[in-house]
Amino acid sequence: MSNKKRALVCGAGGFIGSHLVKKLKNEGYWVRGVDLKNPDFSPTEADEFILGDLRDQTVCRNVLDQSFDEVYQLAADMGGAGYIFTGEHDADVMHNSASINLNIVELAHKQKVGKIFYSSSACMYPSYNQEDPNNPKCSEDSAYPAAPDSEYGWEKLFSERLYLSYFRNYGLNVRIARFHNIFGPLGTWKGGKEKAPAALCRKVAEAKDGGEIEIWGDGEQTRSFLYIDECIEGVRRLMDSNFTGPVNIGSDEMVTINQLAKMIMKSAGKKLTIKHISGPLGVRGRNSDNTLIKEKLKWAPSQPLQDGLKITYEWINKKINP
Ligand code: NAD
């Protein structure tokens, strides 16, 4: 253990966190994970897993009882549009995620950790730049004047600034990524916190060929979706680089939600009609601008969306139709 790099993953019971733990283990790290819950779909691969609430400073002191080479802060109170855009969870989202970040950044500084990664979100971009579904603007320098469309986005913006303040004032070695809609196996696919790709995979898997699925809104809102393996690759590359960020980690293959549904139907080999119903939507258009990541990391995600959807559909379909 002594020669191994030591990493702490906060949110290791979540979707991205559990994949990251696996990656770090494959790279030879010693890993401590922490979360409110164990991973939902497969046992953790962390060397040590602490079940604990990171809003609680005593828990955080226990978790960060030593210096780590690398800390990955992914824990957040989050979900898809059905969780974030209804307004019903605003107080929890802001209080819970901000408390976690305030605790972790202070202890990371006190323990003199080697580097700390913070997962921000494309939800922090101003809504006024995302009204045209064919031409959304999400370059990193377009963040201000700030106008995120959700309290979730405002908390991400606040926490980006929090980490950057510790970088400027205390020299904390920070890395910040703005994730754009990450999807893949081991992600939440039912229960209210699932995001569009998983929700649509579930609906398609549940439907009989020739049947119908429901989509929120007219389905002409645009987004891009990044497969989990490329997200983890981007995180590790950013961490190994000298670039603080914030930088987008996302795909620039923009599709409408109707197109996304049709791609999933293609993977399933089913022909279904789409019924549009009212529901929480978010901005009209969003896409990852990958100019900066290419410049700074000499890399950007490139996997076709259809490939990741096929794997994800098969994983969800097996849960529904074993
Ligand atoms: P997730 O919900 O699967 O994982 C977050 C984890 O944090 C959960 O396991 C949850 O139990 C844990 N957590 C929440 N409150 C906690 C607390 N008080 N103490 C300890 N653990 C707590 O989400 P994810 O998709 O894996 O996202 C990881 C990070 O990436 C989050 O910060 C999220 O905001 C950010 N992000 C994700 C996406 C995406 O598309 N998945 C997009 C943008 C940003």
Side-chain angles (χ1 to χ4, degrees):
M1 193 178 87
S2 53
N3 292 334
K4 286 187 174 181
K5 273 196 180 177
R6 295 172 73 82
L8 170 67
V9 179
C10 304
F15 166 48
I16 301 173
S18 52
H19 282 274
L20 180 63
V21 167
K22 191 174 177 182
K23 171 82 168 169
L24 291 168
K25 283 302 300 168
N26 285 342
E27 289 186 33
Y29 283 70
W30 183 91
V31 181
R32 174 181 287 172
V34 57
D35 202 296
L36 286 172
K37 61 172 180 69
N38 283 301
D40 290 330
F41 304 108
S42 61
T44 183
E45 294 186 28
D47 296 278
E48 229 179 68
F49 194 89
I50 298 177
L51 279 177
D53 188 338
L54 295 169
R55 291 171 301 181
D56 182 335
Q57 290 187 3
T58 314
V59 170
C60 289
R61 277 194 288 272
N62 187 26
V63 163
L64 263 157
D65 61 349
Q66 55 187 277
S67 189
F68 284 85
D69 296 297
E70 295 176 10
V71 173
Y72 294 84
Q73 199 323 69
L74 302 160
D77 191 356
M78 66 94 71
Y83 188 73
I84 282 171
F85 297 126
T86 60
E88 287 164 24
H89 309 284
D90 286 351
D92 286 348
V93 164
M94 294 200 91
H95 177 267
N96 295 343
S97 299
S99 302
I100 295 168
N101 286 312
L102 286 162
N103 289 342
I104 294 295
V105 76
E106 172 67 6
L107 282 163
H109 157 55
K110 281 196 172 141
Q111 291 288 13
K112 299 186 171 49
V113 303
K115 289 178 194 172
I116 181 163
F117 172 86
Y118 173 60
S119 52
S120 183
S121 164
C123 286
M124 48 61 62
Y125 283 115
S127 49
Y128 57 77
N129 277 337
Q130 303 172 83
E131 283 162 9
D132 177 356
N134 297 315
N135 203 18
K137 184 173 178 187
C138 292
S139 54
E140 288 80 352
D141 60 3
S142 70
Y144 298 95
D149 72 338
S150 64
E151 302 307 340
Y152 170 77
W154 277 106
E155 190 282 327
K156 289 293 187 193
L157 199 55
F158 162 77
S159 289
E160 281 189 5
R161 299 187 69 100
L162 175 69
Y163 285 90
L164 290 171
S165 301
Y166 274 75
F167 167 62
R168 286 194 308 275
N169 294 165
Y170 299 125
L172 185 67
N173 204 354
V174 168
R175 302 285 182 277
I176 300 174
R178 294 172 178 161
F179 291 156
H180 290 243
N181 296 317
I182 316 303
F183 75 100
L186 311 186
T188 306
W189 57 277
K190 62 175 181 180
K193 283 193 163 186
E194 65 276 20
K195 302 179 133 205
L200 289 174
C201 284
R202 186 195 70 231
K203 291 177 187 184
V204 170
E206 285 170 348
K208 289 209 168 64
D209 198 12
E212 183 180 85
I213 56 163
E214 291 180 343
I215 283 185
W216 291 343
D218 64 6
E220 291 303 309
Q221 64 273 34
T222 53
R223 293 289 186 280
S224 70
F225 302 93
L226 181 68
Y227 188 64
I228 181 69
D229 289 0
E230 289 201 299
C231 168
I232 300 293
E233 181 68 27
V235 170
R236 289 290 303 113
R237 282 175 184 257
L238 178 61
M239 206 58 164
D240 284 346
S241 78
N242 290 322
F243 186 51
T244 300
V247 64
N248 292 328
I249 294 188
S251 161
D252 58 4
E253 182 182 346
M254 189 172 77
V255 293
T256 67
I257 301 300
N258 288 330
Q259 284 168 336
L260 177 71
K262 283 179 189 146
M263 292 171 92
I264 294 170
M265 290 177 209
K266 187 176 168 194
S267 290
K270 290 185 186 180
K271 282 214 169 71
L272 307 168
T273 48
I274 297 174
K275 182 182 174 191
H276 295 107
I277 58 166
S278 63
L281 293 175
V283 294
R284 193 68 182 147
R286 176 172 292 154
N287 192 16
S288 183
D289 182 326
N290 288 347
T291 314
L292 187 66
I293 194 170
K294 283 179 191 159
E295 182 195 322
K296 298 292 181 185
L297 303 189
K298 311 279 176 252
W299 175 87
S302 60
Q303 180 180 305
L305 175 58
Q306 187 78 59
D307 294 0
L309 286 176
K310 188 170 189 307
I311 302 167
T312 309
Y313 177 77
E314 278 165 12
W315 182 76
I316 292 176
N317 187 40
K318 269 203 195 111
K319 304 256 168 231
I320 294 170
N321 306 302

